[in-house]
Each structure stands twice: as C-alpha cells, then as structure tokens.
Amino acid sequence: MKAVAYRASLPIDHADALIDVELPAPVATGRDLLVEIKAVSVNPVDTKIRFNVAPGEGENKVLGWDATGIVRAVGPDASLFKPGDEVWYAGALGRPGTNAELHLVDERIVGHKPSKLSFAEAAALPLTAITAWELLFDRLGASRDKAREAGKSLLVTGAAGGVGSILVQLARQLTGLTVIGTASRPETAEWVKSLGAHHVIDHSKPLDEEIRRLGLPPVNYIASLNESEQHFAALAELVAPQGKLALIDDPAHIDVRLLKRKSVSLHWEFMFTRSMFETEDMAQQHALLNDVSRLVDSGVLKTTLGERFGAINAANLKRAHALLESNRARGKIVLEGF
C-alpha cells in the first residue's frame, strides 16, 4: 500500500523530511478496524513527532492521526462497526499513522462520519473535536445546561487554529457562556467571529489589558491553546477567583504560584490519554465523536476545513507541515486521496 513516512528527524525543508513509500497492508485483529483512508488533516502533533521522535534504524515511521474512510474489515472482537461503514477518528499516538492507504484503529475511538459532510470536510474535525470537547466538558467542567453558565465567560487563546475553531463553536452552541476568542490578524479575527465568538481580542497585546479595554469582567474559564508561557502572567491576572485554566500546549516554564491566591485550578488536556493508557472510559471518544457527528448533521456545528492541499503524498504533506510550523494556518489543512 502507498504511504508517507520519515526515516530521520529533519527540518521540513529537507528533501527527505517526508518520503513516499510502499508498505505491507495491515490485518485487523482484536477490536481493530481496517479502514481505507479517504482523507486526512494535519495537526501540530504531526510536526512535533516528526521533529522530536526519530524512527529506529531503517524504519519507516508513518505520521497522521485525523482521518476519514471506509471500514474494509473488522477484527473478531469488534462489534460497533461493519464493513462499508463510513467512519472518522483521530487515532492513537503509539500506533502507525493515517498517512497510508489502509490503517488499523481500535473501534472504541472511532465514530460514524457525519453523513452531510464529504470525506475531506469531515477529516478536518476529529482530533480537534475530541480535544475541544474533552477540554470544555471533561477538564474545565463546563455545563451543557445553558442556564447554569449564564453570566460566565470562556477565553480561548489562539481561537482561529484547529482546536480553537471547534471549541468556539461548541461553547457558543452548547453552553450559555460568553465566548471570547483571541486573534491577531483581520482575517483570523473575522474567522473567529464567524464561528460564534461574542468578542475577539488581540493576542499580540497583553491579554489582561485587552479584557479591561472591552470592559469585560474577570474570565471564569480559560482554554490556553498556544503560547501559554508567553501569556501565563496575563491569564493569571484576568482569570476570575476560583476560575479554571486548561492548557494543551507545552510551556517550558510557567509559574503556577500565580494561580494560588485566587484558588484557580490548572488542567491539562491531551486527547491521546484515553487510547495511550486504554482507560476504562476509552469508549467515551467513540460516543463523543458520534455526538459531534449528529451536531454536524443537524447544522449546529460546521467543518473547520481551512485549506485543501491535494492528494496525500510527501510533497503536499511537506507543504502542510511547513504552513503549520509558520503558525499562520487558519482552520485545518486537509489532503484527500492517493
């Protein structure tokens, strides 16, 4: 089968940073599904793994987690899907990735693809939808009872990115929170507004000053999606007493003592935790992906597809990695077909 892999951790402008390869087709066992990949999207985790995790000597490491496709075979213990089902998912960090014609994935982290979206439109959503859903409801503990969240607010830093683009929608559509997004360019600010943010502030300026400029009260929930180290002091200043702050990025140095006097709780969201440790609630990702699918089909949520980069091959994936590394992507980058 065709696949895209790497054999050494190299800068994305190196000729061999990503390469086209031929690999043996996998076979479904246990609760695995064998999926024919139709479309994938690219996430920051792809670039981080490529640059920081070197394959073994002579090995091909296949990246990619977001995917949509068609189930071609199921393992003997699988019961949630059958051949021919259209599916979407974000995979598991410790297994080969989705940048391949055929892919194995545990059915407990797979959902039914929204019927009203194409494979490419749907591929933009799984990883970011899981991350945003878990962050908002599991980590921050926001309620879907709109009356309970009335008068409270959520700040989403980096709201125009992949996770931010779905988190803003989830918060606006499913909760009673006032949603504040950050963006620094006119086009990304407009994107965040179009997704439902009540306010957009400029993250190139001190965020606590931006909140005060708009006359907004301290923020109850914060989802810090990037540059948390840079913004942490301002976030600690603008968060409400007994508020909650959640991170998904990897700040090297943050002073958590800044949160103490307000009794603010700090949370981490890592969407691969459930699959990595095969937690008892691993199948929650199956359930939430089906919930998101229904919300998409009912028109409550929309795809966050930003750009189409053509077929799934090394050249196009290198372009996608380069754009992500530039921090100038808007929405999700999707590739379709081989």
Side-chain angles (χ1 to χ4, degrees), residues 42-322:
V42 186
N43 295 279
V45 66
D46 299 58
T47 69
K48 292 176 183 177
I49 296 295
R50 190 201 82 246
F51 200 73
N52 294 303
V53 182
E57 183 69 27
E59 291 182 2
N60 291 298
K61 186 171 182 62
V62 178
L63 297 169
W65 285 275
D66 265 334
T68 54
I70 300 173
V71 176
R72 291 307 181 200
V74 302
D77 301 322
S79 60
L80 302 176
F81 299 91
K82 64 184 185 302
D85 285 346
E86 295 184 354
V87 294
W88 66 343
Y89 58 92
L93 198 61
R95 305 188 70 175
T98 58
N99 295 334
E101 287 184 291
L102 296 170
H103 184 251
L104 291 178
V105 61
D106 189 302
E107 65 172 356
R108 289 172 291 179
I109 57 172
V110 177
H112 291 278
K113 181 184 79 68
S115 61
K116 292 187 178 180
L117 294 185
S118 68
F119 285 107
E121 291 169 333
L125 287 171
L127 188 148
T128 53
I130 294 169
T131 301
W133 187 288
E134 291 183 348
L135 192 156
L136 183 60
F137 298 118
D138 296 345
R139 311 300 170 230
L140 292 176
S143 173
R144 292 181 67 174
D145 180 345
K146 294 188 176 184
R148 286 183 59 185
E149 301 293 8
K152 296 182 180 179
S153 57
L154 166 72
L155 172 66
V156 182
T157 67
V163 174
S165 292
I166 187 66
L167 179 55
V168 168
Q169 293 185 72
L170 288 173
R172 179 61 189 264
Q173 297 295 333
L174 302 185
T175 78
L177 294 167
T178 295
V179 182
I180 309 160
T182 81
S184 60
R185 292 177 284 140
E187 60 269 29
T188 52
E190 285 303 315
W191 171 259
V192 175
K193 288 178 184 176
S194 76
L195 297 173
H198 295 88
H199 307 281
V200 180
I201 61 176
D202 188 346
H203 55 232
S204 69
K205 301 175 181 178
L207 295 179
D208 52 334
E209 294 179 10
E210 284 287 279
I211 292 291
R212 286 194 293 269
R213 179 182 61 82
L214 290 181
L216 298 173
V219 175
N220 304 95
Y221 303 114
I222 298 174
S224 184
L225 307 182
N226 56 34
E227 299 183 337
S228 294
E229 186 170 351
Q230 173 186 329
H231 297 304
F232 197 78
L235 297 177
E237 183 65 28
L238 65 86
V239 69
Q242 302 184 95
K244 296 182 179 183
L245 193 161
L247 313 174
I248 67 168
D249 60 347
D250 306 294
H253 302 286
I254 55 174
D255 187 357
V256 296
R257 294 172 299 180
L258 297 175
L259 305 179
K260 180 178 180 179
R261 67 189 182 94
K262 292 183 179 178
S263 297
V264 171
S265 57
L266 180 66
H267 306 260
W268 290 96
E269 162 57 23
F270 186 54
M271 64 128 305
F272 293 114
T273 296
R274 281 172 162 145
S275 58
M276 181 179 290
F277 295 98
E278 295 194 5
T279 60
E280 292 183 358
D281 64 350
M282 182 173 166
Q284 281 296 108
Q285 291 192 349
H286 165 71
L288 78 82
L289 281 171
N290 283 340
D291 281 343
V292 173
S293 184
R294 287 188 286 270
L295 290 168
V296 171
D297 281 338
S298 63
V300 174
L301 301 176
K302 64 180 180 180
T303 180
T304 55
L305 188 157
E307 298 189 62
R308 296 174 186 255
F309 269 39
I312 305 168
N313 59 42
N316 288 337
L317 280 166
K318 285 171 71 175
R319 289 197 300 123
H321 280 228

